[in-house]
Amino acid sequence: MQMNMANAINSALDAILTENPTSVMLGEDIGKDGGVFRVTDGLFDKYGPGRVMDTPLAESGIIGVSIGMAIAGMLPIPEIQFAGFSYLGFDQLVSHAARYRSRTRSTFTVPMIVRMPVSGGVRALEHHSESPEAYYSHPGGLIVVEPSSPYDAKGLLIRASHMHDTVMFLEPTMLYRLFKQEVPESSYEVEIGKANKIREGDDLSIITYGTMVNMVKKVVEKKNLSADIVDLRTINPIDDDAIIKSAKKTGKVLIVHEAPRSFGVGAEISARIAEEAIFELDAPIMRVASPSIPYPFPGYEQYYLPNEEKISKAIDKLLAE
Amino acid sequence: MFCKGIRGKHVLKSESVSWVFGLCIYKFLQIYADDCLLKKVFEGSVDYLQVLDEKGSVDAALFPKGLDDSKIIEMYKFLSFTRAVDAKCISLQRQGRLVTYAPSIGQEATQIGSAMAMRQNDIFVPNFRQHGVFIVRGLPLDKFFLYWRGFEEGNMIPQSVKGLPYIVPVATQLLHATGIAFAQKYENKDSAVVSYVGDGGTSEGDFYEAMNFAGVFKVPLVMIIENNQWAISVPRSRQSATETLAQKAFAAGIKCLQVDGNDVIAVYKAVSDAIADSKNGATLIECVTYRMSMHTTSDDPTKYRKDEEVQAWAKRDPILRVRNYLTGKALWSDAMEASMQDEFKKKIDEAVEKAEAFKPDPKDMFEHLYSFMPKALKDEYDDAVNEKFWQA
Ligand SMILES: Cc1ncc(C[n+]2csc(CCOP(=O)(O)OP(=O)(O)O)c2C)c(N)n1
Ligand SMILES: [Mg+2]
């Protein structure tokens, strides 16, 4: 069936709620309203207010209570309305969800899926366009997933429901309705921790994820390049093998992400390549990312986000090395 | 389970067992009476205030001293102006000339009443819906439109307004309000702080922390809950099992009151009184009002609430009752209304024009991040400026 990413996530949630009777969803406006992006539409009617719950407006509460449910053996699927408001629950994520398993040597575990819309490009108000993947990857203990297509979104989400870990499921707002794709109506999994090589080529490797994947694809197609495009899909744990293999093959690496450049995921990728494959490179690793400043108001968004031209110029520069 | 003292040092002799036993019982009861009596240690109640009813008649006994008809006319103009601005913003947004917008329609009395109660030196801390407060406090209207057109420059609030900019992460600003109030007290200033939060916002931890600090530090703070019955699609009843939101003040040891938030005079009185008494600590005021319109322009309220509910609240409209009061006293006429609306239109159109003439300079994104320009950031700045990639 043709689905956009919002439909695909809805379909995955439906599958999880049907398959696992201990699974519940909780968040702000996810019930009758169907979520502010309509991602949970229809699930309240189908599963009832006992399993699809509108909560009080409290993110620390939503995440903390979910942790308790998970410890007690349920599978909570909390939704944070926008990633920018997950920071009110940051302590619960970093001090508890990320640590429970290790600090009890797997005696207590927190299997849950924390869903939230991330990233910008949709002219939203302040705090509605955050890219928090580096924060949540940094402490260790949280799995961080960010799909770039409807097919991957559904498969990764269902996979997350079968894991015994906390999975931060980051949904790029801009991609919810950007395009449709053939997505099976039945349940299926996409492996977490494995990148997706979406294009094979020899001249350079472009490593990217989330909102930038489609943009990179477009640029590469327009320029008719022979390039590897690696869509990480999972940020943490990162797919080292896919990155290093591609870097060694092409010898030229461009990393593209929407989040600010400094201390971002690109720095991690770059360091790993430097550690494992530096002598097989024939040009310095390049990064295209947003500037190292907080996400601006929508009036400045166009000056902030990486765009096709910026990616294209970086490719030219890299190929000229 | 025994109260202290029951384990005495008596050495029990067989002939005196029953006597000792009796004494023990007596002692036990006596001690129990002293230490273990079940008694009430706290009792509280919440008052509700209304001065101007739905029909436009006032309760003379409660009518605030010093509020004359000319001030009520001023209130009426501010109420009406706020509504006119909201209507304009919704229409601009529909034309793509604003980004998302959060209207305050139905809540004007809470905003105008509280803002007019503030003294010149009082400071306010809003969330994202206090348009009426900004208007009363004299925010240049083009700044307002600039914010909702999506530019940081809209947040360049002139000193004289004495308010913080709009704040989006719900309830987080309340802690700043407590801190600003602390600073007023610390510096012996004769100014209070008035903060705003929605009914939904009272569920956040920050709301409790702000209130609790305010109680402990005994700061000059008036915390207003703008209870408009909805937090997007979530009704007030799903935010808290308490009967009122005002009673949450008891947990922090601060004063509280519930007010008809659609009665501009009651709100004015409640906030004036709380400010006047702010040297004696903070007050939590729950203004009971209603969000007549959508949460924001991206929201569709028909998905979660019935039109009958909206219609019932329309009868309690905050502007209509002031109009009724004024016409009842022959202080207002249709002609005055028409010329006022004409004046509003001109003022609003001028401000929109000014805001739309604003041209952003991408350099400003970089130059206001720190008090200085770090080398690492300067490189990115130069790169951006040289490449001019945004002009593509
Ligand atoms: C911390 C945080 N969580 C979620 C949101 C998204 N959001 C914006 S307004 C709102 C509802 C607020 O309800 P209420 O506090 O009653 O204020 P109202 O909008 O009714 O004025 C929500 C959930 C936010 N802005 N901040
Ligand atoms: Mg509300």
Side-chain angles (χ1 to χ4, degrees):
Chain A
M1 197 172 138
Q2 286 289 307
M3 293 187 197
N4 62 30
M5 194 186 279
N7 306 143
I9 292 170
N10 184 284
S11 162
L13 292 168
D14 192 2
I16 296 166
L17 289 171
T18 297
E19 184 194 285
N20 184 344
T22 76
S23 62
V24 294
M25 289 172 42
L26 58 163
E28 294 156 11
D29 307 286
I30 66 166
K32 244 189 214 169
D33 199 36
V36 293
F37 289 106
R38 303 285 178 262
V39 171
T40 60
D41 233 352
L43 299 175
F44 176 84
D45 290 337
K46 184 162 175 188
Y47 296 97
R51 293 191 66 198
V52 179
M53 294 173 274
D54 277 331
T55 64
L57 207 179
E59 290 73 14
S60 180
I62 292 168
I63 295 169
V65 168
S66 295
I67 290 173
M69 291 172 171
I71 288 173
M74 294 173 69
L75 175 65
I77 311 176
E79 174 184 300
I80 298 299
Q81 197 162 80
F82 289 90
F85 308 129
S86 70
Y87 306 148
L88 281 80
F90 198 79
D91 176 65
Q92 290 295 334
L93 288 167
V94 170
S95 304
H96 298 297
R99 285 174 145 87
Y100 246 110
R101 181 184 283 276
S102 66
R103 66 185 275 267
T104 65
R105 296 294 181 260
S106 296
T107 308
F108 295 88
T109 60
V110 185
M112 67 170 175
I113 309 170
V114 186
R115 298 179 39 245
M116 60 185 79
V118 299
S119 301
V122 295
R123 292 184 58 72
L125 293 175
E126 296 180 79
H127 308 284
H128 289 73
S129 305
E130 299 282 294
S131 292
E133 61 273 15
Y135 298 146
Y136 294 128
S137 297
H138 192 64
L142 300 173
I143 288 175
V144 181
V145 171
E146 185 168 344
S148 70
S149 71
Y151 181 88
D152 283 354
K154 178 168 176 181
L156 289 165
L157 190 50
I158 290 173
R159 175 69 199 130
S161 75
H162 296 147
M163 295 181 75
H164 300 280
D165 302 279
T166 299
V167 178
M168 305 296 293
F169 197 83
L170 313 183
E171 305 169 1
T173 313
M174 200 189 76
L175 301 183
Y176 274 144
R177 295 185 166 74
L178 188 71
F179 65 97
K180 286 189 175 182
Q181 195 180 39
E182 195 55 34
V183 175
E185 277 173 83
S186 57
S187 190
Y188 64 95
E189 291 189 357
V190 168
E191 197 178 335
I192 286 180
K194 198 147 181 54
N196 185 20
K197 177 82 77 63
I198 56 175
R199 194 182 164 108
E200 284 280 353
D202 298 318
D203 295 344
L204 82 159
S205 304
I206 306 179
I207 298 162
T208 184
Y209 59 90
T211 51
M212 292 292 121
V213 173
N214 283 288
M215 200 179 278
V216 165
K217 227 165 39 181
K218 256 202 240 161
V219 175
V220 168
E221 275 161 17
K222 272 191 202 159
K223 294 173 89 85
N224 201 15
L225 297 170
S226 172
D228 259 8
I229 303 179
V230 179
D231 173 5
L232 288 180
R233 297 196 291 204
T234 301
I235 312 296
N236 184 53
I238 200 159
D239 187 353
D240 256 331
D241 286 352
I243 296 167
I244 306 295
K245 224 165 105 191
S246 177
K248 284 183 174 169
K249 182 179 79 173
T250 66
K252 289 189 160 102
V253 179
L254 173 68
I255 301 160
V256 183
H257 60 59
E258 177 181 323
R261 177 167 172 268
S262 303
F263 309 98
V265 173
E268 179 63 30
I269 297 167
S270 174
R272 281 169 187 264
I273 295 170
E275 283 161 357
E276 303 283 330
I278 197 160
F279 296 116
E280 279 152 275
L281 297 182
D282 35 66
I285 300 163
M286 283 183 71
R287 284 181 287 171
V288 170
S290 295
S292 306
I293 54 186
Y295 201 95
F297 280 26
Y300 286 92
E301 188 170 61
Q302 68 194 104
Y303 309 120
Y304 176 83
L305 290 175
N307 56 20
E308 287 186 33
E309 202 204 337
K310 204 175 179 193
I311 295 168
S312 173
K313 276 188 183 167
I315 291 173
D316 293 345
K317 202 169 155 195
L318 190 58
L319 290 176
E321 292 276 349
Chain B
M1 288 305 294
F2 292 111
C3 288
K4 69 178 153 63
I6 198 74
R7 275 178 280 119
K9 281 183 189 162
H10 301 288
V11 178
L12 295 182
K13 290 181 184 148
S14 60
E15 67 270 27
S16 58
V17 164
S18 63
W19 181 83
V20 171
F21 184 69
L23 186 73
C24 277
I25 298 275
Y26 172 76
K27 266 274 184 215
F28 176 82
L29 288 175
Q30 198 182 27
I31 289 159
Y32 189 81
D34 285 353
D35 287 2
C36 301
L37 179 67
L38 185 65
K39 55 188 176 189
K40 194 165 280 177
V41 292
F42 172 78
E43 205 169 3
S45 68
V46 180
D47 288 339
Y48 174 86
L49 178 71
Q50 185 193 57
V51 182
L52 177 69
D53 70 14
E54 288 80 351
K55 295 190 186 71
S57 6
V58 294
D59 185 324
L62 293 171
F63 198 81
K65 280 190 221 82
L67 186 67
D68 55 20
D69 283 340
S70 71
K71 195 137 189 182
I72 295 178
I73 291 174
E74 200 186 335
M75 282 174 166
Y76 179 70
K77 288 183 176 170
F78 276 130
L79 290 164
S80 307
F81 187 63
T82 305
R83 189 161 294 185
V85 168
D86 268 335
K88 181 71 180 185
C89 285
I90 293 171
S91 131
L92 287 173
Q93 198 280 336
R94 296 300 183 228
Q95 300 164 49
R97 291 159 71 187
L98 294 188
V99 288
T100 312
Y101 180 69
S104 65
I105 300 171
Q107 301 169 219
E108 295 90 346
T110 294
Q111 304 191 359
I112 303 303
S114 58
M116 287 188 68
M118 290 176 211
R119 303 160 305 181
Q120 207 192 335
N121 281 331
D122 295 332
I123 300 161
F124 71 95
V125 177
N127 60 28
F128 43 82
R129 208 186 289 282
Q130 277 69 43
H131 318 316
V133 177
F134 277 110
I135 286 168
V136 171
R137 300 290 288 192
L139 178 74
L141 203 58
D142 59 296
K143 286 268 189 297
F144 164 87
F145 286 114
L146 209 49
Y147 178 87
W148 293 102
R149 279 179 60 69
F151 297 106
E152 282 86 344
E153 285 71 11
N155 274 343
M156 298 172 75
I157 316 283
Q159 286 271 319
S160 59
V161 171
K162 290 211 162 280
L164 257 46
Y166 286 109
I167 287 131
V168 173
V170 165
T172 55
Q173 76 280 12
L174 300 177
L175 294 158
H176 315 158
T178 298
I180 295 170
F182 181 94
Q184 305 315 300
K185 184 176 169 179
Y186 187 79
E187 290 169 6
N188 267 317
K189 286 189 177 153
D190 189 24
S191 46
V193 176
V194 179
S195 68
Y196 295 85
V197 70
D199 44 313
T202 64
S203 298
E204 293 279 10
D206 284 358
F207 168 78
Y208 295 92
E209 294 181 26
M211 202 166 58
N212 193 50
F213 269 65
V216 169
F217 289 132
K218 213 170 173 203
V219 297
L221 176 67
V222 181
M223 295 178 73
I224 294 177
I225 302 171
E226 206 165 332
N227 173 6
N228 63 5
Q229 312 303 329
W230 291 92
I232 312 187
S233 74
V234 181
R236 154 66 185 88
S237 59
R238 295 285 301 170
Q239 291 297 341
S240 174
T242 57
E243 258 170 274
T244 69
L245 297 175
Q247 75 201 64
K248 292 179 184 253
F250 291 122
I254 65 174
K255 296 162 276 180
C256 70
L257 184 68
Q258 193 185 55
V259 181
D260 178 351
N262 282 9
D263 170 0
V264 70
I265 299 177
V267 175
Y268 175 85
K269 178 178 164 55
V271 177
S272 307
D273 291 351
I275 288 174
D277 196 38
S278 61
K279 285 262 186 295
N280 297 316
T283 305
L284 181 68
I285 299 176
E286 177 188 359
C287 295
V288 181
T289 179
Y290 194 75
R291 194 193 78 213
M292 291 298 293
S293 185
M294 61 285 240
H295 169 70
T296 66
T297 43
S298 335
D299 175 43
D300 172 15
T302 62
K303 262 207 107 172
Y304 53 80
R305 72 180 187 188
K306 293 209 167 69
D307 194 46
E308 293 94 84
E309 181 185 300
V310 183
Q311 290 319 314
W313 276 92
K315 297 199 180 84
R316 310 189 52 198
D317 187 88
I319 304 185
L320 199 61
R321 65 175 86 175
V322 183
R323 173 99 188 246
N324 286 342
Y325 171 86
L326 292 175
T327 45
K329 292 183 94 178
L331 292 165
W332 197 252
S333 67
D334 288 351
M336 288 163 88
E337 181 75 22
S339 82
M340 175 183 79
Q341 293 294 348
D342 281 351
E343 204 184 300
F344 287 172
K345 190 178 174 317
K346 250 176 55 196
K347 229 164 116 176
I348 291 171
D349 288 347
E350 268 172 32
V352 171
E353 200 177 318
K354 195 166 169 198
E356 290 191 331
F358 173 80
K359 293 268 177 297
D361 182 348
K363 289 180 190 167
D364 290 338
M365 290 194 299
F366 295 87
E367 284 178 346
H368 298 275
L369 196 60
Y370 306 103
S371 61
F372 64 105
M373 178 65 79
K375 165 81 173 58
L377 186 62
K378 181 75 165 65
D379 289 345
E380 286 183 12
Y381 170 103
D382 288 343
D383 196 39
V385 172
N386 295 338
E387 297 273 330
K388 290 206 180 353
F389 65 86
W390 54 73
Q391 285 173 9

